[in-house]
């Protein structure tokens, strides 16, 4: 018998399929549906293992978190675009200045004036 060469080995690898993350991503709608029905994570992990997708509990939770974050990232630009639309000028509040000008002295009345010592000349 002859040993398989690199070309044959690489061709065999190409037929094995997707990465674990890609397989998990493809099954995500069914996984989310099972979670919404109240199926425990351990049972989902067992079902995935029976299908050939072996994961630890921590790996499952990390993959679930990562894919949910990816889904939120896809939705975010649309949500930001609708939130950042400018409103009409009639509904926007107009900023007004107070009628009386408050001075630092009136604010600090009866207290130590830190500004005086901060801004003054140092006596070193």
């Amino acid at each position: 018998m002859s040993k398989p060469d690199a070309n044959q080995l690489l061709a065999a690898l190409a037929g094995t399929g997707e990465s674990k993350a890609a397989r998990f991503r493809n099954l995500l709608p069914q996984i989310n549906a099972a979670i919404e029905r109240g199926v425990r994570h351990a049972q989902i992990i067992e079902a995935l293992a029976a299908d050939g997708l072996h994961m630890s509990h921590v790996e499952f939770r990390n993959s679930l978190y990562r894919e949910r974050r990816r889904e939120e990232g896809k939705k975010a630009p649309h949500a930001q675009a609708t939130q950042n639309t400018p409103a009409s000028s009639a509904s926007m509040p107009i900023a007004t200045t107070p009628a009386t000008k408050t001075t630092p002295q009136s604010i600090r009345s009866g207290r130590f004036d830190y500004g005086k010592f901060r801004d003054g000349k140092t006596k070193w």
Side-chain angles (χ1 to χ4, degrees):
M1 273 199 199
S2 66
K3 282 181 137 180
D5 64 343
N7 289 334
Q8 292 173 344
L9 291 173
L10 292 174
L13 286 176
T16 59
E18 303 168 313
S19 67
K20 190 184 283 191
R23 291 175 61 197
F24 186 85
R25 195 174 306 120
N26 289 337
L27 294 170
L28 190 60
Q30 292 86 1
I31 292 169
N32 283 332
I35 291 171
E36 287 176 11
R37 287 192 314 266
V39 178
R40 294 182 178 172
H41 286 187
Q43 294 171 323
I44 295 171
I45 293 168
E46 289 174 12
L48 292 175
D51 192 37
L53 184 60
H54 299 280
M55 306 178 103
S56 68
H57 185 72
V58 172
E59 190 176 3
F60 175 79
R61 289 187 60 192
N62 286 339
S63 298
L64 191 60
Y65 171 78
R66 194 176 310 120
E67 294 305 323
R68 285 179 176 169
R69 295 290 294 189
R70 180 176 290 162
E71 296 270 331
E72 287 176 12
K74 290 178 182 176
K75 294 178 185 175
H78 175 68
Q80 290 173 356
T82 57
Q83 290 174 356
N84 292 337
T85 54
S88 65
S89 61
S91 65
M92 294 178 67
I94 299 171
T96 58
T97 57
T100 60
K101 186 177 178 184
T102 55
T103 61
Q105 206 51 276
S106 64
I107 294 172
R108 292 191 207 108
S109 62
R111 291 192 270 164
F112 184 75
D113 188 7
Y114 289 100
K116 176 182 170 187
F117 291 96
R118 178 193 66 213
D119 299 334
K121 207 173 197 182
T122 55
K123 299 177 185 176
W124 303 31

